[in-house]
Amino acid sequence: MHRFALALVLAALIAGPARAQDPNYDASRNSKAPMAPSVSFSDAPIWQRIPGTTVSTLGPEQKKEYDLFGLYNEFFLFNDGYWYKAKLVNGPWNALGPDEVPAEFHMVPASYWVHYPKGWDESAAVKNAGADTVWTPPAAFKTVPAWRQIPGSSRVYWIDAATRPVYDLFRTSSKYYTYQNGIWYTSGKVNGPYTIMVDSKLPSVIKGVKAKYWVNYPKSWASP
C-alpha cells in the first residue's frame, strides 16, 4: 500500500515539471502554442529604434511575414496571435502568455507592425510617437532630497518646497516618476536616467495625488 502511494507521488513529481518545462506550453490558453516560424536572414539584420519607444524593429527591406522586434537584448516574435521570445534572433523560441508580453510593445504604433494585435488600443502609442525614450533632469541633485509624504496620498512622496524642482517628480517605495510634456518616465535613481513608460504601468497611488500638488496635472485625469 505504501509502495503504491509512493509510486503515485513520484509519478506526479516527474510528470508535472516535464510539462512546465515545455517551452511551447502556453498556460494562459491551456494549450500548446504552435512552433514559431523559422527565422533566418541572407544578410545581417539591421535594427532601428522605433521613435518614442525602447523597441527596435527591422527596416522595410528585411521585414518578414510576421512581426519581429528587439527589446533589452532579447528578441520577440508575434505570429498568428501568439508571442515568442528568444535570446538569439534565430531562436530557439519560447512561447509567451498574454501577461508575459512586455508593456513596451503597446507603445509601438500600428504602422510598425505586420499584423497589429487584435484588441490593442493604439492611442497611447500615437501619443508617445516621436517622444524622447530617455529623460535626464536638467540639474542633478547633489545631495539626497528631503522627501515628504504628500498629504492625503498613499505613500507617495515629493521633495520639500525648499529644493523642489519646477517639474512633477514623485517617489513611491522604491522608484521615481516624472511627468514631462504629457509623457511618464521612471527610474530607480532620483538623478535618472528616466526611461519612458506606458500610463497603464503607473502606480495607482500616484493617480490619487490631488491636482494642487502638481505642476502640470494630466489633462486626461481632470474631471469633466
Side-chain angles (χ1 to χ4, degrees):
M1 185 68 176
H2 291 293
R3 289 183 179 180
F4 179 74
L6 180 59
L8 289 177
V9 172
L10 289 174
L13 290 174
I14 294 173
R19 188 181 189 189
Q21 291 173 0
D22 185 342
N24 286 326
Y25 182 72
D26 185 349
S28 65
R29 300 189 183 196
N30 197 28
S31 64
K32 286 189 176 182
M35 289 184 62
S38 176
V39 179
S40 61
F41 295 90
S42 56
D43 298 311
I46 299 176
W47 298 92
Q48 58 186 30
R49 182 69 60 85
I50 298 174
T53 77
T54 52
V55 179
S56 296
T57 187
L58 296 166
E61 67 282 356
Q62 290 187 310
K63 285 284 188 182
K64 303 290 185 179
E65 64 275 13
Y66 45 79
D67 290 288
L68 188 63
F69 300 105
L71 176 67
Y72 304 140
N73 296 319
E74 294 182 313
F75 300 94
F76 294 81
L77 188 155
F78 180 67
N79 183 62
D80 196 26
Y82 288 91
W83 280 94
Y84 306 84
K85 182 174 74 170
K87 294 290 186 182
L88 302 175
V89 72
N90 59 349
W93 296 92
N94 294 333
L96 300 177
D99 295 336
E100 298 175 290
V101 179
E104 285 85 347
F105 290 109
H106 286 271
M107 298 169 66
V108 177
S111 58
Y112 288 91
W113 296 73
V114 178
H115 301 288
Y116 192 69
K118 293 181 180 180
W120 280 26
D121 182 1
E122 192 190 6
S123 58
V126 171
K127 182 187 74 173
N128 292 331
D132 293 330
T133 58
V134 176
W135 180 85
T136 302
F141 293 98
K142 296 181 179 180
T143 58
V144 177
W147 294 94
R148 298 288 184 269
Q149 184 169 344
I150 298 176
S153 71
S154 179
R155 296 184 181 180
V156 180
Y157 302 84
W158 67 346
I159 298 173
D160 188 67
T163 55
R164 187 176 305 148
V166 293
Y167 52 83
D168 291 298
L169 180 64
F170 302 106
R171 178 174 71 85
T172 58
S173 58
S174 60
K175 286 193 174 184
Y176 304 89
Y177 300 87
T178 184
Y179 188 62
Q180 303 291 330
N181 299 317
I183 306 296
W184 280 102
Y185 298 83
T186 185
S187 176
K189 299 179 180 179
V190 68
N191 284 326
Y194 288 77
T195 56
I196 196 169
M197 63 178 294
V198 291
D199 293 7
S200 60
K201 292 296 182 179
L202 186 70
S204 58
V205 290
I206 292 180
K207 294 183 177 181
V209 175
K210 296 180 180 179
K212 65 180 180 179
Y213 297 110
W214 293 71
V215 176
N216 294 295
Y217 189 71
K219 294 181 179 179
S220 60
W221 295 5
S223 300

